[in-house]
Amino acid sequence: MLAFLLHFLLGLAGSVAIFAVFFRLSSARSTSAPFGLIFFALACGVLAVYLSPWATPAALLAYFAVSLKEYRDDQRYAQKPNPASDSDTGGT
């Protein structure tokens, strides 16, 4: 039970920190409560008990990698010109 609680708290703290960092880097100004992080923390606790204690850092690393990819994709998309807003295309 102690291992589950420890990894639950580590998973929750780590995922909230990752979420907070990438939320601050994004252009979003408001968000709803990320309840999915509770399920992430539960998964970390269960995986640590039944699979390996190293599952928590691996899951946090995977969450960080996905968040970084989404951030880079958003940055790349923001830098591309939008042809639909171009007034020379003749669209109405």
Side-chain angles (χ1 to χ4, degrees):
M1 180 69 178
L2 184 61
F4 173 82
L5 186 60
L6 175 66
H7 285 272
F8 173 83
L9 293 174
L10 286 173
L12 185 62
S15 62
V16 166
I18 292 168
F19 176 81
V21 165
F22 284 103
F23 178 73
R24 290 292 248 165
L25 291 174
S26 74
S27 61
R29 295 295 161 231
S30 66
T31 186
S32 59
F35 287 113
L37 300 182
I38 300 294
F39 296 118
F40 182 86
L42 284 170
C44 285
V46 169
L47 288 172
V49 170
Y50 291 108
L51 186 63
S52 169
W54 287 101
T56 299
L60 286 170
L61 184 63
Y63 180 53
F64 176 80
V66 169
S67 297
L68 182 63
K69 182 190 178 311
E70 287 182 3
Y71 173 71
R72 287 184 176 168
D73 288 346
D74 287 344
Q75 293 298 314
R76 191 173 324 135
Y77 180 74
Q79 291 175 356
K80 287 185 178 179
N82 187 357
S85 66
D86 193 6
S87 62
D88 293 337
T89 61
T92 55

